[in-house]
Amino acid sequence: MKKEINFSTDTLEENGIVEYTDILFVLVAFQSCAAGLGNALADNGEVSGTSGMLLAFCMLIAGIVGVATRKSKGGGIVAGVFYLLGGLLGIVNYGSFSDLAIWSVLCFIFGAVFILGSLKMKKADKSNTDAAE
């Protein structure tokens, strides 16, 4: 028997993407601070530390938007766009901080899952919307 995967933002939250984003924010932010300090001390002109911090903040914003608007189709798309923006910032500027490429790919995956989940989200019934308020 084949189990169908349901891509809704409720499922995304239950599966932990949002929770992992909070943990990854802390990890990427500390790692990027260290990379930025290394870049400044080496005076090599790279911006991978700064790009990592921007990626980390994009992940944090996407996680907050994902939680706050988990019942909204548009909110999931906005969260996905923030993930994609963070991934783009990281992949373009990773330089010698090669972990940034890994975090960027992870952001691309999270962004794709959020956007696909939001596009496949069924429209809530009017009675369910009224009951929730």
Side-chain angles (χ1 to χ4, degrees):
M1 181 178 228
K2 189 174 182 180
K3 185 178 178 184
E4 184 178 323
I5 298 173
N6 183 9
F7 283 109
S8 71
T9 51
D10 287 338
T11 305
L12 297 175
E13 186 177 284
E14 290 169 8
N15 289 337
I17 286 181
V18 174
E19 285 82 11
Y20 289 133
T21 298
D22 297 340
I23 295 167
L24 286 174
F25 163 73
V26 174
L27 179 68
V28 173
F30 281 130
Q31 206 172 32
S32 298
C33 282
L37 182 63
N39 289 339
L41 291 175
D43 197 25
N44 56 11
E46 288 188 6
V47 292
S48 55
T50 305
S51 296
M53 286 301 293
L54 290 173
L55 180 136
F57 279 111
C58 282
M59 289 176 76
L60 180 66
I61 292 168
I64 291 170
V65 169
V67 168
T69 61
R70 67 182 178 270
K71 303 282 185 194
S72 165
K73 190 175 196 176
I77 292 173
V78 169
V81 167
F82 270 106
Y83 278 122
L84 294 177
L85 178 66
L88 184 65
L89 284 170
I91 205 76
V92 169
N93 299 311
Y94 74 89
S96 62
F97 178 31
S98 59
D99 287 354
L100 194 55
I102 296 169
W103 305 132
S104 298
V105 169
L106 196 62
C107 278
F108 285 135
I109 293 169
F110 285 177
V113 168
F114 258 88
I115 290 173
L116 290 175
S118 294
L119 293 177
K120 290 190 177 259
M121 182 186 292
K122 292 186 174 91
K123 203 169 206 172
D125 292 337
K126 177 98 170 123
S127 60
N128 289 341
T129 306
D130 292 339
E133 295 174 356

